[in-house]
Amino acid sequence: AVQPQVVRRGCRTCVAVRATAAAAAAAEASTYANGLSLQLVQQFREDGYLALPGFASKEQVAALMQRANELVEQWNPDLEARRFSVFTTKEEQAHAKDAYFLDSASEINFFFEEKAVDEQGQLQVPKALAVNKIGHAMHDLDPTFSAFTRSQPVAAVLRSLGFQRPLPVQSMYIFKQPSIGGEVSPHQDSSFLYTDPMSCVGLWLALEDANRSNGCLWGLKGIHKQGLSRRFRRLPQGGVGFDGPAPDWSSLMPDFEPIECSAGTLVLLHGENVHYSAENTSPVSRHSWTLHVVESAAPYVWAPDNWAQRQPERPWTPLYDSSSSSSSSSSS
């Protein structure tokens, strides 16, 4: 993991501060600073996902991408000790004994593309083109990504969805590298980030144009109403794994719709929505940033066997807390 709070070389500190300020200013200027209309909220609840074009400005997008590139540049992977993790959604069990993965709930860690490393652990492409994602605590530990997370438009959107005490529990920067960007198979976010009652919502921000050729999101409208298929949890015997077999969504694949969008678009994803992205075999990358939020006001409870757990000295902190002034509770 890197130490992201301070950039220690020359004028990079100034650059990081400027990028953080630019991201915050751009966020505050968003047309969504007052939240969503009732029509958009209803569309989200009916379809299970919702695209919000122009949520982030060009300046904000540039600041987030610049900061991610700086984090990769600062990172020095210890290949000899294999102090990294190769990311694959096809073999989640490979994470079972991977402390690096589990520790990432409280850190900023880096995960390689499957095809970027050979069997001996040697990079096959330049480091900047080898990283699949950065995760999973950027929203807390990095000033630029924290500024976006805690901006007024993000809070306003979550208020529109009924959140009283939204808790950001996971963030990821996805590179979807040219030619080798790995697929993300159909899944439901609540499988990984479970509360009782369920409340997870994903905020997926396109930092580059996303289309079918470079691995855009695909969503299945209305599937979230059928509930959750299985959970990915910490196991009593140690490690993590799914508590049931993989659901067979093959017959529904023709019903998935591409969520093609331009840079700056925010896609809201209901926790029980089924979505995926195909492998990027194009020569163009598809950078994105994802924040996952759950409700933490009573009676919602974060599952103690979720894979992501924080040490007491690094607790998650809510974006705002209106639970004491409201007697109602809303599941998202």
Side-chain angles (χ1 to χ4, degrees), residues 8-258:
R8 294 186 175 85
R9 285 181 284 181
C11 65
R12 287 190 182 177
T13 299
C14 298
V15 171
V17 170
R18 287 197 299 269
T20 300
E28 300 304 328
S30 169
T31 56
Y32 298 96
N34 293 320
L36 304 177
S37 67
L38 292 177
Q39 181 180 1
L40 288 177
V41 171
Q42 180 58 36
Q43 182 180 343
F44 171 73
R45 298 198 185 282
E46 182 65 25
D47 293 344
Y49 64 85
L50 177 69
L52 303 175
F55 187 90
S57 70
K58 292 182 179 179
E59 292 78 14
Q60 183 179 5
V61 166
L64 294 173
M65 293 183 68
Q66 175 184 320
R67 184 58 185 143
N69 289 332
E70 290 174 352
L71 290 172
V72 172
E73 181 182 349
Q74 295 168 33
W75 178 49
N76 183 22
D78 186 354
L79 295 182
E80 291 299 321
R82 300 185 70 85
R83 181 76 169 105
F84 65 86
S85 180
V86 175
F87 176 78
T88 169
T89 57
K90 296 178 182 177
E91 300 176 359
E92 287 93 347
Q93 296 294 339
H95 283 314
K97 296 181 179 180
D98 188 352
Y100 187 75
F101 168 69
L102 295 175
D103 290 346
S104 70
S106 303
E107 299 176 354
I108 296 179
N109 289 353
F110 299 76
F111 301 84
F112 281 129
E113 290 284 2
E114 222 176 337
K115 296 181 180 180
V117 183
D118 64 18
E119 294 180 357
Q120 287 71 45
Q122 299 301 309
L123 286 178
Q124 300 300 294
V125 295
K127 181 179 69 170
L129 297 176
V131 181
N132 170 281
K133 72 174 182 178
I134 308 174
H136 292 96
M138 304 172 73
H139 60 285
D140 282 337
L141 301 181
D142 185 83
T144 301
F145 288 94
S146 179
F148 176 86
T149 299
R150 299 185 180 277
S151 64
Q152 171 61 24
V154 169
V157 166
L158 294 174
R159 287 184 191 277
S160 299
L161 297 181
F163 277 91
Q164 296 183 62
R165 193 176 186 270
L167 197 67
V169 294
Q170 175 179 279
S171 56
M172 299 178 288
Y173 191 101
I174 310 295
F175 291 85
K176 207 72 167 181
Q177 302 285 7
S179 303
I180 62 171
E183 71 170 302
V184 178
S185 58
H187 65 281
Q188 298 169 292
D189 292 338
S190 287
S191 294
F192 304 89
L193 306 167
Y194 185 82
T195 60
D196 184 14
M198 290 184 289
S199 62
C200 179
V201 169
L203 292 81
W204 185 94
L205 180 67
L207 299 176
E208 295 181 305
D209 295 348
N211 51 56
R212 302 183 197 203
S213 65
N214 68 351
C216 70
L217 288 176
W218 292 71
L220 186 57
K221 290 182 178 178
I223 190 68
H224 62 293
K225 298 177 183 179
Q226 298 183 20
L228 189 65
S229 60
R230 59 176 179 167
R231 286 189 55 209
F232 184 77
R233 59 174 69 182
R234 296 195 178 212
L235 303 174
Q237 66 270 29
V240 290
F242 285 106
D243 60 4
D248 183 7
W249 284 308
S250 58
S251 64
L252 299 176
M253 294 306 288
D255 298 326
F256 280 81
E257 298 181 11

